[in-house]
Amino acid sequence: MSEKKSEGQLRYDELSYAKKNYFETASEEERTAMFDYAEGYKAFLDAAKTEREACAKAVELAEAAGFTRFSFGDKLAAGDKRYFVNRGKGVVAFRVGTEYLEKDGMRIIVSHIDAPRLDVKQNPLYEKEGMCFLKTHYYGGIKKYQWTAIPLALHGVVVLKDGSKVEIKVGENAGEPVFYIDDLLPHLGAEQMSKAGAKIIEGEQLNIVVGGMPYADEAVKNKVKLTVLNYLNKEYGMSEEDFLSAELCAVPAYPARDVGFDRALIGAYGHDDRVCAYPALTAVLGSESRHTVLAMLVDKEEIGSEGNTGMQSRVYVDLMEEIAQALGADFRKVRYASKCLSSDVTAAYDPNFDGVFEKMNSAMISCGTCMSKFTGARGKSGSNDANAEFVGEVRAMFEAEGVVWQTAELGKVDAGGGGTVAKYVANLNIDTVDLGVPVISMHSPWELVSKADLYSNYKAFLAFIK
Ligand code: MN
Ligand code: MN
């Protein structure tokens, strides 16, 4: 029996705003769709632990959806489904719409496919007291102590002396060995545990165990190192010098898994930012739109979007210009009419660490994909602060398609902060706002997201490009 609401209560319900849990508001059918969509996402995660692998997997999915490779100079026409690859580390899948490009612009979703990890140094290999190690230099913002005493896999490429390239991927399949960074036993860890968190494990202690078997020859000084070199030579044709031109990454060797009895959540390495890249890609691959739509999956966001594969690279602007020219449109007019979702993850409110969040403006788990009008730190510094007009426009798109979404800031004012690629797109005079999935334990070896938020992100992209 429900009590009849008072006039004031009804008025309050009408005028006030509160976030909603998407699982609670979703229909049975929609909830099934969330869980089904998560299966494809987990498969993508497992196949795409580095930007190179994510790029290759994206190309595979694009080709399966009938997209063909685009090169500068190619002709384009309405209805074309194409993809562009940048150095095997970035991919842009796009569909040409029927709307007049100078007037309608492009609908762009940008996300990144690099993730924090440990990169092997150029002179990495050494032997010490019966074990052989690889020295590393971490990539992106990590808590170093989280990367010890877990199974690691090695992924990457080696360019050999003769210029040929070999791929290495060891530690992902059952039966394959994994790699390991040691930590101190608590019995002897009293001094270590009294240190500040950043010093518990230091950068030069992130050395990966890769061997322990001495080569059977008394005359050799570094017997374990020789065993490892001998293996690498037989398996990949490598010698030690080839590490100079290698790009090897140590990543957690676990697959993505459902978390919780009810399987509502997904634990995995690299949700940041594949939990946005995969929905961006699948939205653009799967939907027909009158707009010209682009899913840009880029590299190097975790180290500042630098270099020729990061979002600051001129190549992404050149590609947009190339598409405009191929369609006979003036690029400046196209840019000015374009809209962009800069799609990156945000911090989910974590009840175990309540102190760093301001609850009213935190991303709550399962309350949908999250818009950040601005990012930055110390007074929004370094942020693209989206215009209210554009926020209103995107809000209307979501409203029209029944997207469950929320807004948030990353933590309390002055608790820290972060940045995304939004400002690099906005600098082109393209209306841009951040939108992405809330993540718990972001940048750890195993991050946590909600299936509801993943699916909400996908739905938001569909609404944006519709
Ligand atoms: Mn990110
Ligand atoms: Mn990140």
Side-chain angles (χ1 to χ4, degrees), residues 51 117 182 229 231 351:
E51 62 276 4
R117 60 174 186 244
D182 56 288
L229 281 173
Y231 177 84

Side-chain angles (χ1 to χ4, degrees), residues 47-252:
K49 288 194 175 178
T50 64
E51 62 276 4
R52 287 179 189 273
E53 291 167 4
C55 181
K57 189 68 192 170
V59 166
E60 190 188 310
L61 292 173
E63 286 181 346
F67 283 60
T68 57
R69 194 162 183 136
F70 176 80
S71 301
F72 282 21
D74 286 0
K75 292 198 169 26
L76 288 174
D80 280 1
K81 305 190 289 184
R82 309 296 294 269
Y83 67 85
F84 172 80
V85 173
N86 180 22
R87 292 180 165 81
K89 292 179 167 191
V91 56
V92 180
F94 64 96
R95 273 177 189 269
V96 181
T98 49
E99 293 282 326
Y100 181 45
L101 199 58
E102 282 184 12
K103 197 156 168 284
D104 193 53
M106 297 171 176
R107 299 281 167 107
I108 305 161
I109 309 168
V110 186
S111 57
H112 68 90
I113 49 176
D114 60 319
R117 60 174 186 244
L118 307 176
D119 283 346
V120 172
K121 288 192 184 190
Q122 293 340 109
N123 278 303
L125 195 66
Y126 68 97
E127 172 178 344
K128 220 167 183 181
E129 310 307 331
M131 287 193 286
C132 190
F133 300 86
L134 288 174
K135 294 199 73 63
T136 67
H137 193 139
Y138 64 99
Y139 174 95
I142 62 166
K143 288 175 163 178
K144 299 178 197 83
Y145 66 81
Q146 292 181 327
W147 292 73
T148 63
I150 60 170
L152 296 169
L154 278 177
H155 293 226
V157 298
V158 183
V159 176
L160 302 176
K161 203 170 204 161
D162 66 4
S164 62
K165 187 166 79 176
V166 289
E167 285 184 30
I168 294 182
K169 185 174 174 181
V170 181
E172 294 295 346
N173 299 317
E176 282 178 7
V178 294
F179 307 95
Y180 187 77
I181 297 172
D182 56 288
D183 197 354
L184 196 56
L185 62 169
H187 315 62
L188 299 177
E191 192 200 329
Q192 180 198 29
M193 295 309 288
S194 69
K195 290 180 182 175
K199 299 271 181 189
I200 290 173
I201 294 289
E202 302 207 41
E204 294 297 350
Q205 290 177 305
L206 292 172
N207 302 315
I208 304 172
V209 176
V210 294
M213 183 68 75
Y215 192 90
D217 185 338
E218 273 313 309
V220 179
K221 189 166 161 254
N222 292 310
K223 297 188 186 69
V224 182
K225 180 175 166 181
L226 180 56
T227 300
V228 170
L229 281 173
N230 194 42
Y231 177 84
L232 292 175
N233 183 257
K234 285 193 167 147
E235 195 67 22
Y236 306 108
M238 275 182 78
S239 66
E240 187 175 13
E241 196 181 351
D242 292 321
F243 279 113
L244 297 178
S245 47
E247 221 167 58
L248 295 172
C249 315
V251 295

